[in-house]
Every structure is written in structure tokens, then in C-alpha cells.
């Protein structure tokens, strides 16, 4: 059961198309897992349509329609089908159980970044950076081994986390697949994976994380930030 959702402001910005793409990626993946937020998103879109209907018509250039059609034709994006999303067969044959049932938009990112390269951050934590073409955000998978404890850390910028497989806990609670979390700078936390299985999360980070304490002094120089 999903207990943590993007707040209304984030969903409104997502509907308006004003969220940074990297953050909207995490929101879109959450929407594929969460019927409640999908419904809210549809209501926002409906409201947006009504606002457009009520607004005064604006003059556009005579070739605007031609340009729009050319952009649609050249786009790789496929519209999301209505209703519950179907699970897509992965392009990449993968025996990794954590990567087998991903929201479609995350699956595409995996396909585009295959083979994934996992870097060991600590004995309990591995990370794989995902190229997403973003200048100011780093998109990555983090996986914590079963029962693994990560280092306590803070954030210098906002971090958005979507749990994809397994569960983890911190001082504030336990987070399960589909849960969407936003950590602001100054929120120190220490995720610990539950004992039943490893935990895989998608994270979108605005600025590098900072490990606190003596361990932080030792490892911070190695936690390089690589947006893109
Ligand atoms: Zn939700």
C-alpha cells in the first residue's frame, strides 16, 4: 500500500508541465503505480482544459499548426494509454528481480542506460547513475542490501526518492514500493533496508548529498555529483 504521495503543488506543477524533467520522471513513475494520484492528475488536467476554454483567444502565427505537427512527428514520446498501465515486456532481458517490474518510464531509462554500472558506495549501498540529459539533477538507482544500513546523510539540495522494490525505514517511518518522498536540505536521515529483501529506489537529486560526522569527512570527497 502506497502511503507517501507527491503533494498537491508538485502534482499541479506536473500537470502544468513546469516541473524539471528529472523530477517529473519520478512523478510520472509514481502515477503509474498510484491510482489515487492518477485520478488527481486527471482532475488537474480537466481543470486546466476548462481554464483554457475560458481564456481569451490569442493570435498565433499562420504556420504555428505546421510547426506543432512537425514537432509531434519528430517526437519519440508515445502518449500514455488511459486506465491502468500495462506492464511492458523489457527490451533488455534481465534476471535481476529488483529490475523486473518497473514503471514503463523507468524501464525506458534502464533500456537507454543498459548495461547498468553499479558503484559500491558503502558495504550496504550500491548506486548506478542514469544518463537523463539533465544539467542540474542527478538521476540514479540506489540499492541497499537486505537489512543494510546506509550512512547518515544530509542534502544540500532537494532529493526526490521513489521506492521501486523492497522497503526501507528511517527515523520517520517505513517506505514501500510506490512511496514518493521529498527530502529538503537539512533533513538528516539514515535509510535502513528491511530484512526481507534488498531495496531499490530511484533518486533525483538537485545537489550532492553530504555525509555527516567523521565518516562524512572521510567519504564526502568521493561522493562526486554527476548530473546528466
Ligand atoms: Zn500517489
Amino acid at each position: 500500500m502506497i502511503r507517501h504521495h507527491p503533494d498537491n503543488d508538485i502534482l499541479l506543477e506536473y500537470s502544468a508541465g513546469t516541473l524539471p524533467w528529472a523530477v517529473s520522471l519520478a512523478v510520472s513513475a509514481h502515477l503509474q503505480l498510484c491510482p489515487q494520484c492518477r485520478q488527481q492528475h486527471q482532475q488537474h488536467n480537466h481543470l486546466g482544459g476548462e481554464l483554457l476554454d475560458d481564456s481569451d483567444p490569442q493570435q498565433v502565427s499562420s504556420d504555428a499548426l505546421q510547426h506543432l505537427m512537425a514537432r509531434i512527428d519528430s517526437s519519440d514520446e508515445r502518449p500514455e494509454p488511459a486506465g491502468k498501465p500495462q506492464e511492458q515486456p523489457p527490451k533488455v532481458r534481465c534476471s535481476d528481480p529488483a529490475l523486473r517490474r518497473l514503471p514503463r518510464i523507468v524501464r525506458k531509462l534502464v533500456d537507454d542506460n543498459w548495461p547498468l554500472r553499479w558503484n559500491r558506495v558503502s558495504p550496504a549501498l550500491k548506486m548506478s547513475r542514469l544518463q537523463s540529459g539533465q544539467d542540474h539533477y542527478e538521476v540514479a538507482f540506489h540499492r541497499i542490501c537486505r537489512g543494510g544500513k546506509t550512512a547518515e546523510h544530509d542534502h544540500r539540495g532537494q532529493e526526490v526518492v521513489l521506492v521501486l522494490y523492497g522497503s526501507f525505514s528511517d527515523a520517520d517511518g517505513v517506505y514501500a514500493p510506490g512511496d514518493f518522498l521529498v527530502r529538503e536540505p537539512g533533513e538528516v536521515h539514515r535509510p535502513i533496508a528491511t530484512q526481507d529483501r534488498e531495496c531499490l529506489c530511484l533518486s533525483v537529486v538537485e545537489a550532492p548529498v553530504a555525509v555527516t560526522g567523521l565518516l562524512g569527512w572521510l567519504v564526502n570527497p568521493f561522493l562526486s555529483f554527476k548530473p546528466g
Side-chain angles (χ1 to χ4, degrees), residues 166-180:
S167 308
F168 79 86
S169 65
D170 63 15
D172 298 325
V174 181
Y175 311 99
D179 276 339
F180 182 99

Side-chain angles (χ1 to χ4, degrees), residues 11-184:
L11 286 178
L12 271 174
E13 280 199 66
Y14 177 79
S15 298
T18 53
L19 272 187
W21 187 86
V23 180
S24 68
L25 168 77
V27 175
S28 175
H30 174 82
L31 289 183
Q32 287 179 25
L33 301 169
C34 179
Q36 181 185 326
C37 287
R38 269 207 305 280
Q39 195 182 11
Q40 208 174 336
H41 171 56
Q42 280 162 5
Q43 284 168 358
H44 289 159
N45 282 350
H46 183 65
L47 190 68
E50 285 186 349
L51 285 173
L52 268 182
D53 282 348
D54 289 346
S55 59
D56 295 332
Q58 300 289 315
Q59 193 70 39
V60 293
S61 63
S62 57
D63 55 357
L65 180 63
Q66 205 180 341
H67 282 148
L68 177 65
M69 297 312 285
R71 278 182 64 185
I72 292 170
D73 286 346
S74 65
S75 169
D76 287 339
E77 294 300 317
R78 302 277 182 275
E80 294 291 332
K84 195 170 189 299
Q86 301 291 309
E87 194 174 321
Q88 293 285 304
K91 239 192 260 173
V92 176
R93 285 270 154 240
C94 181
S95 59
D96 188 335
L99 297 175
R100 242 180 248 156
R101 295 167 65 88
L102 296 172
R104 185 179 27 238
I105 194 161
V106 182
R107 161 59 52 200
K108 182 173 186 317
L109 200 60
V110 170
D111 286 344
D112 292 347
N113 282 273
W114 198 261
L116 300 182
R117 280 189 297 275
W118 292 96
N119 298 315
R120 191 167 169 271
V121 180
S122 71
L125 178 67
K126 279 192 278 189
M127 169 188 195
S128 179
R129 289 193 174 93
L130 301 164
Q131 298 297 319
S132 65
Q134 293 292 289
D135 289 340
H136 304 294
Y137 288 85
E138 181 180 85
V139 180
F141 282 138
H142 283 94
R143 63 196 304 170
I144 315 172
C145 70
R146 188 187 297 202
K149 296 174 182 169
T150 64
E152 182 179 80
H153 63 277
D154 188 3
H155 303 275
R156 286 177 215 154
Q158 193 183 62
E159 181 190 51
V160 172
V161 172
L162 180 71
V163 184
L164 293 168
Y165 180 82
S167 308
F168 79 86
S169 65
D170 63 15
D172 298 325
V174 181
Y175 311 99
D179 276 339
F180 182 99
L181 306 162
V182 178
R183 300 282 180 204
E184 299 296 342

